[in-house]
Amino acid sequence: TQLRTISVRVLTAQAGPLSSGDKTSLQLYMDQRMRAKTTVQVLDLTLTQVSVEATVTIDGTTTLRAVWIAAVSRYASRIDPRTAEFGVDVQRADLITILNTTPGVEDLNSTTFLPAADVAVGPESLPLFVSLSLRDSATGQVINDVVAVSF
């Protein structure tokens, strides 16, 4: 009889689920290396995608592209499934603060900012930043791009 089960949540380098064959192989590999009366349960890791859309005023010392790059870097480092805790919602106020304090952003239109509410992250899920769309309020230029995900 088993005394303990260790659950391991996994995903591919592209943030997708492992195939059932890969999960079975991983489980067999780990089971062979466990102490007696211990089993391993290999589960898929669920990711909650976080996307941001905003209209900003750029401060004249930079470009919308430079602000977009800086903001993506800041979001990706703050919304990282490798360091996040399971089930912790992503606060809209934090998302606004991250962008509003990005170098080059003079102002941010919070009334049109998306997401319109906190991003709910399920109890067995982790957040993952996936895209940023910025619109320059002065020129109307838009940069809308997906962030490459790999681990």
Side-chain angles (χ1 to χ4, degrees):
T1 177
Q2 300 301 321
L3 296 179
R4 178 170 68 165
T5 299
I6 298 172
S7 296
V8 179
R9 296 193 181 275
V10 296
L11 66 151
T12 66
Q14 292 75 34
L18 261 61
S19 69
S20 60
D22 286 345
K23 280 193 283 192
T24 299
S25 295
L26 179 59
Q27 184 161 348
L28 287 172
Y29 175 85
M30 294 178 77
D31 281 342
Q32 292 168 352
R33 286 151 181 81
M34 287 290 122
R35 294 182 179 174
K37 300 186 181 189
T38 301
T39 60
V40 175
Q41 179 183 29
V42 178
L43 305 168
D44 288 323
L45 176 59
T46 304
L47 297 174
T48 300
Q49 296 186 353
V50 178
S51 296
V52 174
E53 292 182 32
T55 299
V56 295
T57 303
I58 304 302
D59 73 4
T61 65
T62 190
T63 64
L64 184 61
R65 172 62 64 189
V67 168
W68 186 90
I69 291 168
V72 163
S73 176
R74 296 180 82 194
Y75 280 127
S77 67
R78 289 285 303 275
I79 307 168
D80 185 343
R82 296 171 294 185
T83 58
E85 293 184 37
F86 283 93
V88 176
D89 294 348
V90 177
Q91 303 296 309
R92 180 178 190 264
D94 291 342
L95 296 173
I96 290 173
T97 300
I98 290 168
L99 184 56
N100 205 31
T101 58
T102 297
V105 174
E106 184 175 295
D107 192 30
L108 166 75
N109 184 341
S110 62
T111 59
T112 60
F113 185 91
L114 294 175
D118 296 345
V119 178
V121 178
E124 295 183 3
S125 185
L126 294 171
L128 176 67
F129 177 65
V130 295
S131 69
L132 174 61
S133 178
L134 287 184
R135 180 180 177 278
D136 185 330
S137 64
T139 67
Q141 178 188 10
V142 174
I143 297 178
N144 181 15
D145 215 345
V146 175
V147 179
V149 177
S150 66
F151 297 97

